[in-house]
Amino acid sequence: EQKEQVTPRRLAGGQFVVHLDAEGTYQCSLTGLIFEVTGPVKITYSLLSWSKYARLVEKPWIVGGPLFDVRCDSAAALASLQFPHSLCLSG
């Protein structure tokens, strides 16, 4: 499936925002998140620290990947959200 690469705008506090104007599948060029939308939408997201949430992860589960906070101004327009299997923050 074809994904259009989008580069988010950086906001204060480590947040990112993308404005998607039409139906389609889009991939964030910085985080690898994939958004499938059915119409125009504004999505705001950020990486969170596991330090605040790690105690909620009970054995046999372990912390194993990035933790995202994703907010959407039109939940009905967000058909799916796919998370990356890994994320490299160097550079």
Side-chain angles (χ1 to χ4, degrees):
E1 183 177 327
Q2 190 73 2
K3 297 172 197 72
E4 182 176 337
Q5 290 287 310
V6 292
T7 300
R9 186 169 56 103
R10 291 180 188 252
L11 303 175
Q15 290 188 322
F16 303 101
V17 64
V18 291
H19 294 269
L20 307 175
D21 296 327
E23 178 179 9
T25 303
Y26 302 85
Q27 183 168 22
C28 174
S29 63
L30 300 178
T31 64
L33 288 171
I34 298 171
F35 310 103
E36 182 183 357
V37 300
T38 59
V41 68
K42 173 185 165 188
I43 303 172
T44 306
Y45 50 102
S46 62
L47 282 162
L48 300 178
S49 170
W50 271 107
S51 62
K52 183 176 179 180
Y53 303 98
R55 72 181 191 296
L56 300 173
V57 180
E58 297 180 9
K59 290 187 179 191
W61 300 100
I62 61 170
V63 173
L67 182 63
F68 289 95
D69 178 19
V70 180
R71 298 168 191 264
C72 180
D73 71 344
S74 176
L78 184 60
S80 74
L81 173 59
Q82 299 172 38
F83 295 93
H85 289 91
S86 62
L87 178 65
C88 178
L89 296 176
S90 64

